Each structure stands twice: as structure tokens, then as C-alpha cells.
């Protein structure tokens, strides 16, 4: 596919989702857009098996209205994306990139400034950032178990929140800065 839009082209009040299972492979050469719903529901892309590659950016589109959630969740599958862009005017809890499965993985190939949204690891899977992450807001969290974060080109934390668990593994291939 060239592009993928969840709940579009105009966002609606009904929950919308795309779920792939088994050994399904979905390659998207361009961007993925996940529009925030207009009602108190969740729009989601669920990778519950198989793999997906996004050649462009995963774009979260929305405004600051609580309980209108746009989410990408990986359980036992894998997701590789060129970049991620969270909406600047939306609530962190309403824009989620989540890894919930022990066998799952998420890889973001390019660096980015992370100012909004939530990146969540809730199992023993692995989230890898191949580019430099400059964390100026938003939330990176592991709330339930020991997973792995790889910051292959480094990590700069200035004003965001980074919550980890005691048995979690955090690897830095570049510098770690906490300013």
C-alpha cells in the first residue's frame, strides 16, 4: 500500500480499527495517519501477529479532547517505521504507541523530537530507536514488567517523563543526556 488512514479522511465518532494476525505482512511505502475520533472511542491499528513496515511517518492527528484515543498497539507482531509524529495540541494519554506483547517489537529508524504523546512498553518486548531521541515532553513508560528500550543513537531528556521498572534493560548506543 502507498498510504494508510485510520478513521478518515474525516474523523468520525465511531471506533475504527485495523487488526492483522498470524503471519500477515503489511508494507506501506508512504505515511500512516491515525485520526483522533470525534467521540469518546478509540481508533487503533493492532499488530497482533505478522509484521508491518512504514516507509513514511506514523502521524497522530488530533486535538486536546480527553478520551478520544488514537493508538498503535503491537502484541506479538513487529512494526518498523521511518518516524513517528504526535499531534502537538493533543493530550499525551490520547496518542499512544504501545508494545503489549512479550514477543513483539517496535523499531523507529530515524531520530525525532518527542514532545507529545505516550510510548508505552507493558511486557518483555523490545522498542528500538535507531536515531537520536530528543525528549522534550510526552511520556515514555514501562508500567508492568521488564522490557527493553534500545536508544542506538542516544537519548536527550529535557522536560519529558521516562518511567522504567527495576528489571528493565535500557541500552544506549550513543550519549545519554538529562538536562
Amino acid at each position: 500500500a502507498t498510504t494508510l488512514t485510520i478513521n478518515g479522511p474525516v474523523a468520525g465518532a465511531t471506533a475504527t480499527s485495523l487488526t492483522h494476525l498470524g503471519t500477515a505482512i503489511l508494507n506501506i511505502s508512504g505515511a500512516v495517519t491515525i485520526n483522533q475520533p470525534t467521540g469518546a472511542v478509540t481508533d487503533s491499528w493492532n499488530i497482533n501477529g505478522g509484521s508491518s513496515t512504514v516507509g513514511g511517518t506514523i502521524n497522530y492527528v488530533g486535538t486536546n479532547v480527553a478520551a478520544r484515543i488514537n493508538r498503535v498497539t503491537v502484541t506479538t507482531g513487529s512494526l518498523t517505521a521511518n518516524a513517528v509524529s504526535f499531534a502537538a495540541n493533543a493530550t499525551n494519554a490520547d496518542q499512544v504507541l504501545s508494545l503489549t506483547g512479550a514477543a513483539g517489537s517496535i523499531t523507529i529508524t530515524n531520530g525525532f523530537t518527542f514532545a507529545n504523546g505516550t510510548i508505552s512498553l507493558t511486557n518483555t518486548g523490545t522498542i528500538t530507536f535507531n536515531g537520536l531521541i530528543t525528549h522534550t515532553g510526552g511520556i515514555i513508560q514501562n508500567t508492568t514488567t521488564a522490557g527493553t528500550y534500545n536508544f542506538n543513537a542516544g537519548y536527550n531528556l529535557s522536560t519529558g517523563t521516562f518511567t522504567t521498572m527495576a528489571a528493565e534493560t535500557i541500552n544506549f548506543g550513543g550519549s545519554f543526556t538529562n538536562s
Side-chain angles (χ1 to χ4, degrees):
T2 303
T3 61
L4 171 65
T5 301
I6 307 288
N7 199 2
V10 177
T14 303
T16 305
S17 67
L18 169 65
T19 301
H20 60 275
L21 305 164
T23 58
I25 297 171
L26 177 58
N27 293 321
I28 301 158
S29 60
V32 171
T33 301
I34 304 171
N35 290 304
Q36 185 181 42
T38 57
V41 297
T42 300
D43 287 341
S44 60
W45 179 17
N46 305 302
I47 303 170
N48 297 341
S51 64
S52 186
T53 301
V54 179
T57 300
I58 298 174
N59 296 297
Y60 290 78
V61 178
T63 59
N64 192 7
V65 179
R68 296 180 180 182
I69 301 167
N70 38 357
R71 167 188 302 270
V72 175
T73 301
V74 177
T75 58
T76 58
S78 67
L79 169 64
T80 300
N82 188 48
V84 176
S85 176
F86 294 94
N89 59 344
T91 306
N92 290 333
D94 290 345
Q95 311 178 84
V96 181
L97 175 61
S98 179
L99 178 58
T100 63
S105 67
I106 296 173
T107 301
I108 308 300
T109 57
N110 286 325
F112 65 99
T113 298
F114 180 54
N116 300 284
T118 299
I119 297 174
S120 179
L121 176 60
T122 61
N123 210 314
T124 58
T126 301
I127 297 179
T128 300
F129 302 98
N130 286 331
L132 175 66
I133 302 303
T134 302
H135 193 168
T136 62
I139 300 167
I140 296 177
Q141 65 183 2
N142 183 342
T143 57
T144 59
T145 191
T148 302
Y149 281 105
N150 295 314
F151 295 93
N152 291 339
Y155 175 74
N156 295 327
L157 173 62
S158 63
T159 58
T161 302
F162 188 3
T163 305
T164 63
M165 299 299 289
E168 185 169 30
T169 301
I170 304 171
N171 299 308
F172 297 100
S175 63
F176 170 77
T177 304
N178 186 3
S179 56

